[in-house]
Amino acid sequence: MSKWFMSGLIAVACLFGVYLLATALPDKEEVADNGPAFVVPELAVDAETSEQIYQALCISCHGDQLQGGAGPELAHIGSAMTKEQLYKTIKEGRRGMPAFEKRLTEDELLTITTWLASHE
Ligand code: HEC
């Protein structure tokens, strides 16, 4: 009799575990979907590193003075785009603009974003 009681108890515990998994997991996904959007942190402008990145990867399309060429002018991009828009464009690319997700580290992405944002 107590054997049945114990297995009943275990079954209930298992069902409760499954219930928790089923209800708790979608909750977490919701948090990920509706959580606060990514915000580029406030960083000091690192012109030296940024110019190195720019010269290596961006100059061919955006020009040596950010005046543009194959890509648009970036000399005043800080007043046209938010840091978040800049970050996303550089990271993910857009039409003729290549994605730099794989070629730049997160730090480098944030560095060049902050530098471009300072060009108002
Ligand atoms: C192969 C050429 C090419 C390279 C290399 C390139 N870009 Fe671009 N970039 C473009 C083009 C083309 C666009 C316009 C995309 C569009 O029309 O949606 C663009 C758009 C942008 C924009 C948005 C400008 C706007 O006015 O909307 C930013 C910011 C930008 N590039 C930054 C960079 C940075 C930073 C690098 C180097 C890490 C880089 N680009 C390298 C071609 C390039």
Side-chain angles (χ1 to χ4, degrees), residues 86-95 97-101 109:
L86 287 167
Y87 174 88
K88 189 171 156 54
T89 306
I90 301 165
K91 183 173 181 179
E92 298 170 9
R94 214 178 67 196
R95 282 181 285 176
M97 164 76 187
F100 287 94
E101 199 165 7
L109 273 170

Side-chain angles (χ1 to χ4, degrees), residues 18-116:
V18 169
Y19 166 81
L20 277 184
L21 274 178
T23 53
L25 287 181
D27 254 347
K28 273 187 203 149
E29 272 166 32
E30 249 170 59
V31 170
D33 284 347
N34 305 331
F38 174 73
V39 174
V40 175
E42 280 299 321
L43 297 171
V45 176
D46 180 348
E48 203 186 319
T49 309
S50 302
E51 275 159 21
Q52 280 168 7
I53 298 171
Y54 185 86
Q55 276 162 21
L57 298 173
C58 321
I59 207 168
S60 55
C61 294
H62 292 282
D64 59 351
Q65 303 295 317
L66 293 92
Q67 77 275 26
E73 184 203 333
L74 298 176
H76 306 286
I77 199 66
S79 50
M81 289 171 82
T82 65
K83 278 187 195 170
E84 286 70 29
Q85 289 169 330
L86 287 167
Y87 174 88
K88 189 171 156 54
T89 306
I90 301 165
K91 183 173 181 179
E92 298 170 9
R94 214 178 67 196
R95 282 181 285 176
M97 164 76 187
F100 287 94
E101 199 165 7
K102 300 215 165 64
R103 278 190 276 174
L104 292 172
T105 64
E106 182 68 14
D107 271 359
E108 288 169 334
L109 273 170
L110 293 174
T111 301
I112 188 110
T113 295
T114 306
W115 178 73
L116 276 179

